[in-house]
């Protein structure tokens, strides 16, 4: 089925690098492109799809306000200074028909929408300008003929981590080859986790979020950085189980200070269940979990660790206006960790 045809296109490259250059009229942009989303945005001017061939999407949530601003820019200034072009993956659904045999110029017959790799706000701006401002124009595009969905995601991440754009947590969500990112995602997704539903994976914090995925992943890595773990092969599930048990223990020992489901971030009174507390206990895990780890059975003696934590209960001032007032992030976390370690050793 053909949904549109684009004339006056140019083809370059071969095989996986085959790509097309041209212009898409604003009247058909919505029909011939789509956003392969990780987070759905109901007011996005672009067409959206969350799953293709069993694979979940990766694009962050669009900001319709940015799309409207771009559309208004088009209305005022035209497209003379619109750069860069919209970057697409045609998914082998766009057919290049040369003007003559072996010609690199020709037309593209579109059978299904291409995924927008980079440029959903520009594309949405063209759509907004056409639909609501009656502004007809053309958007320049570069379209890969047929990247795999995995390669498409990697291209997106490469583009957006080598320029200002994608938040670190969204990149961590995409870079699943790093085990700490995978375990961080498990902590967010698994209902048995003390961190279930409160880790932000897109970079845009919502009211229910307490932590950014990038910060969680960094401290997951820190928790297992003791030398005793370096020569041991641990699965993601084993690391996840260890962390769940360790943090569940902390939750049990400090019930008043554990504000995971009680207060919005701005109203929290204690440092325990925010970034400072995450860092503090991760530093403690780094220095102490290894002493309770049996390298033969790959088991952590949490009874022993629990007794060590008992020495800390009632000895640390977690109040934001207390002993560690004004000390946040790494500075505050390291200070609190130092005091925890002193109490454990007493």
């Amino acid at each position: 089925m053909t949904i549109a045809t684009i004339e006056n296109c140019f083809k370059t490259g071969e095989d996986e690098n085959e790509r097309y250059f041209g212009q898409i009229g604003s009247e058909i942009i919505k029909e011939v492109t789509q956003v392969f989303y990780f987070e759905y945005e109901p007011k996005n001017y672009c067409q959206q799809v969350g799953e293709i061939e069993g694979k979940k999407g990766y694009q962050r949530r669009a900001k319709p306000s940015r799309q409207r601003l771009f559309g208004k820019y088009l209305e005022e200034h035209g497209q003379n200074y619109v750069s860069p072009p919209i970057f697409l993956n045609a998914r082998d659904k766009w057919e290049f028909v040369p003007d003559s045999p072996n010609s690199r110029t020709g037309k593209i017959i579109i059978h299904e929408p291409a995924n927008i790799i980079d440029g959903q706000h520009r594309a949405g701006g063209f759509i907004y300008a056409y639909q609501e401002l009656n502004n007809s124009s053309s958007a320049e595009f570069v379209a890969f003929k047929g990247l795999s969905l995995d390669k498409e995601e990697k291209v997106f991440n490469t583009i957006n981590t080598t320029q200002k754009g994608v938040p670190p947590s969204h990149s961590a969500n995409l870079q699943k080859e790093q085990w700490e990112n995978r375990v961080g995602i498990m902590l967010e997704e698994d209902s048995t986790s003390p961190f279930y539903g409160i880790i932000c994976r897109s970079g845009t914090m919502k009211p229910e979020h307490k932590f950014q995925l990038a910060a969680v992943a960094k401290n997951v890595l820190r928790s297992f950085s003791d030398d005793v773990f370096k020569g041991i092969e641990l699965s993601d599930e084993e690391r996840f189980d260890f962390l769940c048990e360790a943090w569940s223990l902390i939750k049990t020992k400090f019930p008043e200070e554990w504000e995971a489901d009680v207060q919005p971030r701005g109203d929290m009174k204690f440092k325990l269940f925010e970034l400072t507390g995450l860092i503090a206990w991760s530093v403690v895990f780094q220095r102490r979990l290894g002493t309770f780890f049996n390298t033969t059975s790959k088991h952590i003696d949490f009874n022993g660790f629990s007794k060590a934590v008992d020495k800390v209960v009632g000895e640390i001032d977690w109040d934001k206006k207390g002993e560690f007032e004004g000390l946040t992030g790494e500075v505050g976390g390291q200070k609190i960790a130092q005091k925890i370690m002193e109490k454990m050793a007493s």
Side-chain angles (χ1 to χ4, degrees):
M1 177 181 174
T2 300
I3 59 175
T5 300
I6 305 176
E7 304 284 349
N8 302 316
C9 297
F10 179 78
K11 168 190 167 183
T12 187
E14 301 294 338
D15 301 323
E16 189 182 48
N17 290 318
E18 183 174 331
R19 54 201 185 276
Y20 314 128
F21 298 77
Q23 292 187 324
I24 309 174
S26 55
E27 73 280 1
I28 64 168
I29 291 177
K30 187 163 188 174
E31 285 69 39
V32 303
T33 64
Q34 62 189 14
V35 175
F36 191 22
Y37 69 84
F38 166 68
E39 284 190 319
Y40 180 73
E41 169 50 60
K43 296 182 179 180
N44 194 341
Y45 289 92
C46 297
Q47 185 178 176
Q48 300 176 92
V49 59
E51 184 173 328
I52 299 175
E53 300 170 0
K55 179 178 174 61
K56 300 292 186 182
Y58 61 88
Q59 285 277 358
R60 55 189 161 163
R61 182 192 296 264
K63 294 184 178 179
S65 59
R66 283 184 59 191
Q67 294 174 324
R68 289 191 292 271
L69 281 173
F70 187 81
K72 291 173 183 177
Y73 172 88
L74 287 172
E75 175 72 6
E76 293 178 9
H77 304 287
Q79 64 191 80
N80 293 333
Y81 302 105
V82 176
S83 179
I86 299 168
F87 205 36
L88 306 169
N89 177 19
R91 302 185 299 119
D92 289 315
K93 309 299 183 183
W94 288 22
E95 177 186 357
F96 180 80
V97 180
D99 290 330
S100 60
N102 300 319
S103 174
R104 291 193 173 274
T105 60
K107 65 182 178 182
I108 292 175
I109 300 174
I110 300 174
H111 302 287
E112 291 184 20
N115 287 352
I116 298 174
I117 301 175
D118 185 66
Q120 68 166 314
H121 289 103
R122 296 190 296 281
F126 277 100
I127 295 167
Y128 166 78
Y130 176 76
Q131 291 181 339
E132 301 192 22
L133 303 178
N134 296 315
N135 179 282
S136 294
S137 53
S138 296
E140 294 183 353
F141 72 86
V142 177
F144 278 96
K145 177 182 183 293
L147 296 177
S148 69
L149 295 176
D150 287 338
K151 182 63 180 290
E152 175 188 324
E153 184 177 306
K154 289 181 180 179
V155 171
F156 164 84
N157 199 42
T158 298
I159 291 172
N160 288 284
T161 53
T162 53
Q163 63 181 14
K164 185 177 180 181
V166 171
S169 287
H170 193 53
S171 290
N173 185 56
L174 299 179
Q175 294 171 343
K176 296 183 178 68
E177 67 274 12
Q178 297 174 338
W179 66 261
E180 64 270 22
N181 292 338
R182 297 194 300 270
V183 174
I185 292 170
M186 292 170 70
L187 289 169
E188 194 277 331
E189 289 184 335
D190 195 300
S191 60
T192 65
S193 164
F195 295 87
Y196 175 62
I198 59 172
I199 298 173
C200 174
R201 293 166 58 182
S202 69
T204 303
M205 296 276 274
K206 295 179 182 178
E208 67 269 23
H209 291 145
K210 305 292 185 185
F211 305 100
Q212 290 280 4
L213 175 59
V216 172
K218 177 180 177 180
N219 284 285
V220 166
L221 182 63
R222 191 198 316 250
S223 298
F224 292 96
S225 60
D226 188 285
D227 286 343
V228 71
F229 294 111
K230 292 182 179 178
I232 304 296
E233 187 70 28
L234 293 175
S235 68
D236 293 351
E237 289 73 20
E238 287 171 320
R239 296 180 194 272
F240 169 78
D241 288 342
F242 289 158
L243 287 172
C244 279
E245 191 156 357
W247 277 103
S248 293
L249 190 151
I250 302 303
K251 178 179 180 180
T252 301
K253 300 290 186 182
F254 301 93
E256 181 183 357
E257 295 90 343
W258 190 273
E259 298 180 293
D261 304 313
V262 181
Q263 299 284 355
R265 290 190 308 278
D267 297 331
M268 291 174 67
K269 299 177 181 178
F270 300 102
K271 291 177 176 287
L272 176 61
F273 209 65
E274 62 172 23
L275 180 59
T276 307
L278 174 69
I279 292 170
W281 280 110
S282 297
V283 170
V284 173
F285 296 162
Q286 173 193 11
R287 297 176 184 174
R288 291 305 302 271
L289 277 186
T291 64
F292 296 96
F293 181 67
N294 186 312
T295 57
T296 302
S297 65
K298 295 200 297 187
H299 173 75
I300 292 177
D301 175 16
F302 278 104
N303 288 328
F305 184 68
S306 178
K307 292 176 182 178
V309 175
D310 283 338
K311 296 181 178 181
V312 179
V313 175
E315 299 295 329
I316 301 296
D317 184 0
W318 293 103
D319 195 302
K320 286 191 172 185
K321 295 182 179 180
E323 178 183 352
F324 300 100
E325 182 177 8
L327 299 177
T328 60
E330 284 289 335
V331 174
Q334 293 284 351
K335 283 280 188 182
I336 296 172
Q338 181 179 354
K339 186 163 184 178
I340 292 173
M341 295 295 295
E342 290 172 356
K343 295 299 178 181
M344 283 184 168
S346 63

